[in-house]
Amino acid sequence: MSQPDRPAGLLVMSPSAAGAVFPEDLLTRLGGSLRLLRSGAVDDFAAAAEALSEVEVLLTGWGCPPLDAPVLDAMPRLRAVVHAAGSVKLHVGPEVFARGITVSSAADANAEPVVDFTLAVLLLAGKRAFAFARRYAEGRQPTFAVNERAGNDGRVVGVVGASRIGRRVIVRLRAAGFRVLVSDPYLDPLDAAALGAEPVGLDELCRRSDVLTLHAPELPETVHMIDDRRLAMLPDGAIVINTARGALIDTEALTRACAEGRIDALLDVTSPEPLPAGHPLFAMPNVWITPHLAGVQGTEARRLGAYAVTEVEHLVAGRPMSGQVRADQLAVLA
């Protein structure tokens, strides 16, 4: 980094939709060690062209333009990209790492709201709360006591993907008394045992799970991993929850399976996203769809800003950053 008598230049790249992530009181925390080249967020690098040559730290948010070679050439002093959001894959590529630039993500700060959301919908779905609420609004009384599809006791939950979110979900499920299966080709069996989950293949997980919750990244090998064949393996009355990436599920296959009434689905992400108006899934009583809101929303966005600012403080002080992203992780990140 720069010598103490010449604080590093900080450029804030935060498209308008994510501007609330960087409240001024957070940015002023950096005033003693960094020169804030842009006090307000900017939407594109062209708008910040005059400042680029002095930039050493780039603080980014959702929708940041790609850091391609021409942009990097314009920032010869750039030493770090600190992302106040989750995935860096849309704006950070191999070229960034090839130039020795440090990358950090606030994905950990975004993870907890997703875990909270997953556990909340899982418990409500297990009680068949969404289907019962719809029937109740129609004037029909649900039969609770004799409904064998309702209730969470004794249910087996299958977690697909031991990601930072998947692992947290497993820990929370185990604390709540659920039996948990996990499928992840990169998970060491000893790590699975430490989490309290039984590692199994994806087919076996589908056959044995009363609830299937997805926490894997979207990769060529994971697209449509939940297809007609695997949906047919699920037990009658099973619940499918997706808070990861819509493409992990074959939407048409899921539509067919849910139309039969054999399984329920809770979807925070879909493919395509959003689904077209009038899609059959919207009208099904056993399907509940939310508009990709499991991650930080509203007041929670301060978590991302606070995390990113703390990361910059660590960087300037020469301390390790908690959310550092390595080049070898890029291919398997969400």
Side-chain angles (χ1 to χ4, degrees):
M1 295 299 297
S2 299
Q3 297 300 317
D5 60 346
R6 191 181 191 285
L10 173 72
L11 176 65
V12 180
M13 293 293 301
S14 175
S16 55
V21 170
F22 305 118
E24 284 300 319
D25 62 321
L26 288 177
L27 294 177
T28 54
R29 280 171 43 187
L30 302 175
S33 56
L34 293 167
R35 292 178 301 117
L36 189 59
L37 299 174
R38 286 276 175 162
S39 59
V42 292
D43 289 351
D44 59 71
F45 289 107
E50 292 183 9
L52 294 184
S53 64
E54 296 186 73
V55 173
E56 293 190 55
V57 181
L58 190 63
L59 189 55
T60 62
W62 289 304
C64 178
L67 295 169
D68 54 21
V71 168
L72 294 173
D73 288 343
M75 291 187 285
R77 294 168 54 85
L78 184 63
R79 295 291 178 267
V81 177
V82 179
H83 192 47
S87 178
V88 299
K89 291 179 76 168
L90 294 180
H91 68 294
V92 171
E95 179 72 13
V96 172
F97 293 100
R99 299 189 185 211
I101 297 167
T102 300
V103 177
S104 170
S105 163
D108 279 336
N110 189 55
E112 285 303 325
V114 180
V115 175
D116 290 340
F117 184 92
T118 300
L119 267 293
V121 297
L122 186 151
L123 292 171
L124 287 169
K127 300 280 281 188
R128 308 294 162 175
F130 305 107
F132 284 158
R134 188 174 299 198
R135 294 175 190 172
Y136 196 48
E138 296 170 351
R140 294 185 290 161
Q141 292 291 331
T143 52
F144 300 109
V146 298
N147 193 319
E148 289 298 320
R149 289 182 59 160
N152 288 305
D153 289 355
R155 301 304 188 195
V156 176
V157 181
V159 176
V160 180
S163 58
R164 60 169 49 87
I165 293 172
R167 287 169 182 260
R168 287 171 167 86
V169 168
I170 291 171
V171 170
R172 297 272 290 274
L173 287 170
R174 292 293 296 134
F178 285 93
R179 183 178 178 185
V180 182
L181 310 177
V182 61
S183 178
D184 188 319
Y186 300 101
L187 180 65
D188 185 283
L190 293 177
D191 289 339
L195 290 168
E198 179 184 351
V200 296
L202 184 54
D203 284 359
E204 182 179 350
L205 182 143
C206 289
R207 283 192 290 267
R208 294 172 55 189
S209 296
D210 301 299
V211 181
L212 178 70
T213 180
L214 301 175
H215 303 287
E218 181 182 334
L219 306 171
E221 59 268 32
T222 64
V223 170
H224 289 185
M225 65 193 309
I226 305 302
D227 54 11
D228 276 307
R229 185 177 69 85
R230 286 185 170 134
L231 289 168
M233 293 177 179
L234 292 171
D236 288 350
I239 300 163
V240 176
I241 299 172
N242 192 3
T243 58
R245 294 290 184 263
L248 302 183
I249 301 178
D250 180 337
T251 299
E252 297 313 308
L254 182 67
T255 302
R256 289 189 289 271
C258 290
E260 295 172 357
R262 199 177 65 81
I263 64 172
D264 294 357
L266 287 298
L267 309 173
D268 188 52
V269 290
T270 59
S271 179
E273 189 173 274
L275 289 176
H279 192 281
L281 285 173
F282 285 122
M284 294 183 187
N286 53 334
V287 178
W288 192 64
I289 302 174
T290 50
H292 204 149
L293 52 77
V296 295
Q297 298 291 327
T299 58
E300 297 165 347
R302 286 186 61 89
R303 301 185 190 199
L304 303 179
Y307 190 99
V309 168
T310 299
E311 288 286 83
V312 176
E313 290 174 330
H314 289 330
L315 177 74
V316 173
R319 298 190 296 266
M321 293 193 294
S322 301
Q324 186 165 344
V325 179
R326 302 191 312 269
D328 62 337
Q329 294 175 316
L330 196 60
V332 295
L333 290 175

